[in-house]
Structure formats: structure tokens, C-alpha cells
């Protein structure tokens, strides 16, 4: 099993997708891509497989060959069978690709998102200013020039965050029009690039968005003058903007229950209950929010990092937690000592699960 090769390809795909228009497909290839291609060729020769002849062909392999293909043989205990690195419709990195590209001690793409936020926090100077900027980023993965004339626009916030945005890449345009998912606000593309972008809502099979899991009740929003829009950098779109709805739902659940909490600087979406910790004579309890498709990789991420609290409630969307095997895979992927300290939950179950955690502590006392 060559899981390392599949992870290297994931990081290559993630890096190449950051290059506007994928111009890196032209020779000479970037060093990262050339090394991944060379390693894939050598692996194919070792196992008697016809190797890819070029980087574009390798990109198509990442689009068509899943993790459980005999070429990669990634175990189902790490990635769900059928996982590809490039989305067959979007032709961009899948969410699973970016999650795998974040797997490992250095944190990869997710760590890059955290570093961008850490730099922003340092530049903001005050906690309140940083929280306003972070909230803006989470709510605005795409910004149009007209937004600057709308209610609630802050020149001060925009001046702090604008360097985290860039022009809309040509690879995300259809006939000069940019499509935005009405649910997650992230980029969208139709299955057929030449199909009309107006008209009735696209079906689930006919439209791709970076969120991948969004319902298709409404038609995509259109930005017909994409030169007047800016898009948030990919790591922040995936690891800050995407889980934002779940984060907001978790905070609202705590507020309704009157449970005090304060934001933590790291990881990306984390809070500490204010009535816990040494000063209160109780264990510290943190809330961390994620929107990750691969539960084993989520467990690995939490295992690799230092445990900042005695207990952590890991909040994920209900749609993910309710999938067959998601909870079981998450728990099974944790080291035994952490299984009692990490509790997988959802915004709806957060307060009841928190009450159960506290009840267990009282019973132990």
C-alpha cells in the first residue's frame, strides 16, 4: 500500500490548483509536480502499470482513479473507498483531497489557513478587531465591489483583510460568468461548461460547488462582471468559510442555553467554556468545530495536535455525523486514551452532550 504516494499527489493537486489558470501544466513543471509525476512513474513501473506520460494525464488520473484503486490501495480505515483527488465535475481539488493534503505533522493546507489567520491576528492588534475581521472572512468567501456600498460594510475591516483575497481565476468562469453556490457561498460550476448558466435550478448531478454537499433547491447566484469580484484564498475558503454555518449554529446553541464561551486563537474554529478550568476548580472544556468529510483524517488531525483542554466536544454538521460509519470510524481512529476526552457531536446535540460530559465528571468526583 502506497498511501504516501496518494498523499503526495493530494498536496500536488492542492498546490497546482492555487495557480491561476493552471498555467503550471506548461513545461517545465514546478518541482513539486515533477517529483510527484516521477514518483508515480516509478511506482507504475514497479508494479507493471503503464505510467502517465505528462502532468495533464496525471491530473486526469487523480480525477478518475480513486483511493482504493490497486495503483494506490489506500486502506478504507484512512479514506472512504471511491475517494478521488480531483472532482469529476468541478475538475478542482475535492474536499477530501484538501483534507488529505493537511494530513501529517506539518498540517499542510489546514495549517496554512491557520497561519494566515495568525498573521491577521498579529496585524489587527486587538482581539475585537481580529474577531470582526475573522467573521468577515468566514461570511464573505467572495466579495463584489457592490458590497462596499451595502449596509454593514467596514472600510477598516476591508483594509485589514483585502490581501487575503485575489481575482477570480479563469478556471472558475463559465462564458465569462462566475457562479456562486447559494448555500455555502463558494464557487460553483456546471457539469457541462457550455450549458446555460441561467434558468431552472441545476440538479445535484449537474452542478458542482466547493462545498460538494449542498442541497440544490435554488439556482446558483451569478456574477456577470467577475472582474469586479475577489475570492478568498482557498485554504480559508475550505477550513474557515465552509464550517462557518456549523460554527454559528454551535455558538447559537450555547447562547440559548446561557453557556459562556470565549474564542480561542487556535485552532481555526474553537471556543473554551468560560466556567471551566483551574480557576473554577474544574476540567477545561473546549468546543472545536469542523466540516470534514473523512472522519479518520479528522481523528488524525486531533491526535497530532496538542490537547489544549481536558475534554473537547468536536462539532460537525448533522449531515456528516448521521452518515453510516462516520462516528464509528472517528472513534476507532482515535488512540484509546483520547476516546473519553474527545466527544463527536452536532450543533443540535451539543448542549445535551455537554451536560452528559459534566455529569460524568460529577459522578467521577
Amino acid at each position: 500500500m502506497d498511501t504516501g504516494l496518494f498523499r503526495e499527489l493530494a498536496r500536488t493537486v492542492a498546490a497546482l490548483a492555487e495557480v491561476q489558470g493552471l498555467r503550471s501544466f506548461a513545461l517545465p513543471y514546478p518541482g513539486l509536480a515533477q517529483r510527484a509525476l516521477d514518483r508515480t512513474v516509478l511506482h507504475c513501473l514497479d508494479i507493471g502499470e503503464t505510467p502517465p506520460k505528462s502532468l495533464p494525464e496525471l491530473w486526469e488520473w487523480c480525477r478518475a482513479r480513486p483511493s482504493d484503486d490497486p495503483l494506490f490501495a489506500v486502506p478504507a480505515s484512512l479514506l472512504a473507498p471511491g475517494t478521488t483527488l480531483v472532482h469529476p465535475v468541478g475538475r478542482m481539488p475535492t474536499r477530501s483531497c484538501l483534507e488529505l493534503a493537511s494530513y501529517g505533522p506539518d498540517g499542510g493546507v489546514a495549517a496554512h489557513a491557520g497561519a494566515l489567520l495568525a498573521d491577521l491576528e498579529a496585524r489587527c492588534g486587538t482581539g475585537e478587531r481580529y474577531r470582526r475581521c475573522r467573521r468577515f472572512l468566514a461570511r464573505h468567501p467572495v466579495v463584489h465591489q457592490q458590497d462596499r456600498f451595502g449596509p454593514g460594510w467596514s472600510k477598516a475591516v476591508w483594509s485589514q483583510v483585502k490581501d487575503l483575497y485575489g481575482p477570480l481565476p479563469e478556471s472558475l468562469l463559465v462564458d465569462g460568468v462566475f457562479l456562486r453556490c447559494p448555500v455555502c457561498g463558494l464557487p460553483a460550476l456546471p457539469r457541462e461548461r457550455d450549458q446555460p448558466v441561467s434558468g431552472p435550478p441545476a440538479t445535484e448531478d449537474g452542478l458542482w460547488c466547493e462545498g460538494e454537499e449542498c442541497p440544490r433547491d435554488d439556482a446558483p447566484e451569478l456574477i456577470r462582471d467577475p472582474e469586479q469580484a475577489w475570492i478568498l484564498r482557498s485554504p480559508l475558503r475550505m477550513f474557515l468559510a465552509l464550517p462557518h454555518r456549523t460554527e454559528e449554529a454551535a455558538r447559537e446553541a450555547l447562547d440559548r442555553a446561557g453557556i459562556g464561551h470565549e474564542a480561542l486563537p487556535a485552532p481555526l474554529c474553537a471556543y473554551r467554556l468560560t466556567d471551566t478550568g483551574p480557576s473554577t476548580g474544574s476540567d477545561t472544556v473546549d468546543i472545536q468545530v469542523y466540516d470534514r468529510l473523512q472522519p479518520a483524517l479528522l481523528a488524525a488531525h486531533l491526535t497530532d495536535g496538542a490537547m489544549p483542554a481536558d475534554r473537547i466536544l468536536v462539532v460537525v454538521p448533522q449531515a456528516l455525523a448521521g452518515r453510516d460509519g462516520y462516528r464509528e470510524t472517528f472513534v476507532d481512529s482515535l488512540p484509546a486514551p483520547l476516546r473519553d476526552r474527545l466527544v463527536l457531536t452536532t450543533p443540535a446535540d451539543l448542549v445535551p452532550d455537554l451536560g452528559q460530559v459534566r455529569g460524568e465528571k460529577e459522578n467521577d468526583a
Side-chain angles (χ1 to χ4, degrees):
M1 294 183 295
D2 198 352
T3 301
L5 173 60
F6 202 64
R7 189 179 79 168
E8 183 175 347
L9 289 175
R11 294 198 170 197
T12 300
V13 167
L16 290 178
E18 284 288 278
V19 181
Q20 183 170 335
L22 299 178
R23 290 188 297 269
S24 55
F25 280 0
L27 289 168
Y29 300 145
L32 175 72
Q34 186 64 61
R35 287 191 296 272
L37 176 60
D38 292 345
R39 184 175 175 186
T40 304
V41 169
L42 290 174
H43 179 64
C44 288
L45 294 176
D46 286 342
I47 65 175
E49 177 91 24
T50 301
K53 301 179 180 64
S54 64
L55 188 56
E57 186 173 336
L58 180 59
W59 186 272
E60 287 302 311
W61 276 29
C62 293
R63 184 173 171 235
R65 294 193 174 217
S67 56
D68 52 328
D69 187 286
L71 176 68
F72 304 117
V74 177
S77 58
L78 181 66
L79 287 175
T83 297
T84 60
L85 299 178
V86 176
H87 197 279
V89 176
R91 297 184 177 89
M92 297 291 286
T94 59
R95 288 176 55 181
S96 293
C97 173
L98 297 179
E99 291 175 20
L100 182 60
S102 303
Y103 175 50
D106 64 353
V109 181
H112 186 200
L116 292 173
L117 287 182
D119 179 68
L120 173 64
E121 183 176 22
R123 288 188 282 113
C124 283
T126 67
E128 179 57 33
R129 184 180 301 155
Y130 169 68
R131 285 189 288 273
R132 289 199 303 268
C133 290
R134 183 189 181 282
R135 186 163 52 248
F136 180 93
L137 296 175
R139 294 177 176 177
H140 297 87
V142 177
V143 175
H144 191 276
Q145 185 166 342
Q146 290 300 317
D147 296 339
R148 305 170 77 171
F149 305 103
W153 179 268
S154 169
K155 291 182 179 180
V157 168
W158 178 244
S159 68
Q160 291 284 348
V161 303
K162 63 182 180 181
D163 64 317
L164 296 174
Y165 290 82
L168 295 175
E170 294 180 5
S171 57
L172 291 177
L173 304 183
V174 182
D175 294 331
V177 175
F178 176 79
L179 283 69
R180 178 165 53 185
C181 174
V183 178
C184 66
L186 299 178
L189 288 170
R191 177 178 291 276
E192 301 298 334
R193 296 296 193 268
D194 57 354
Q195 77 177 45
V197 296
S198 58
T203 64
E204 184 172 354
D205 292 334
L207 186 71
W208 163 88
C209 75
E210 278 190 332
E212 294 182 15
E213 304 289 306
C214 299
R216 304 301 180 205
D217 297 332
D218 298 313
E221 302 172 10
L222 308 183
I223 296 180
R224 300 185 182 278
D225 50 355
E227 69 281 357
Q228 300 296 319
W230 299 269
I231 190 167
L232 187 63
R233 297 181 65 170
S234 175
L236 291 173
R237 295 201 306 271
M238 187 56 54
F239 295 107
L240 176 65
L242 183 62
H244 176 65
R245 287 173 296 156
T246 304
E247 180 183 1
E248 289 284 280
R251 290 180 56 193
E252 290 171 2
L254 293 174
D255 290 340
R256 285 195 301 269
I259 300 173
H261 54 280
E262 59 185 8
L264 297 175
L268 287 170
C269 306
Y271 300 85
R272 174 156 296 169
L273 302 191
T274 54
D275 62 346
T276 66
S279 63
T280 65
S282 64
D283 289 347
T284 54
V285 179
D286 285 0
I287 310 294
Q288 294 187 17
V289 183
Y290 296 92
D291 193 339
R292 307 253 184 135
L293 294 181
Q294 302 294 336
L297 293 181
L298 175 57
H301 166 74
L302 292 164
T303 300
D304 289 341
M307 281 286 289
D310 298 299
R311 302 293 289 269
I312 296 178
L313 278 77
V314 182
V315 185
V316 300
Q318 178 63 52
L320 291 184
R323 287 185 175 178
D324 289 343
Y326 191 96
R327 290 178 180 270
E328 293 79 2
T329 300
F330 175 80
V331 173
D332 291 345
S333 301
L334 292 171
L338 293 184
R339 292 177 185 173
D340 291 333
R341 299 178 63 189
L342 292 165
V343 178
L344 189 74
T345 187
T346 68
D349 295 331
L350 173 58
V351 172
D353 284 345
L354 177 58
Q356 183 174 350
V357 166
R358 286 175 159 169
E360 292 172 355
K361 178 61 180 177
E362 291 174 358
N363 291 336
D364 291 341

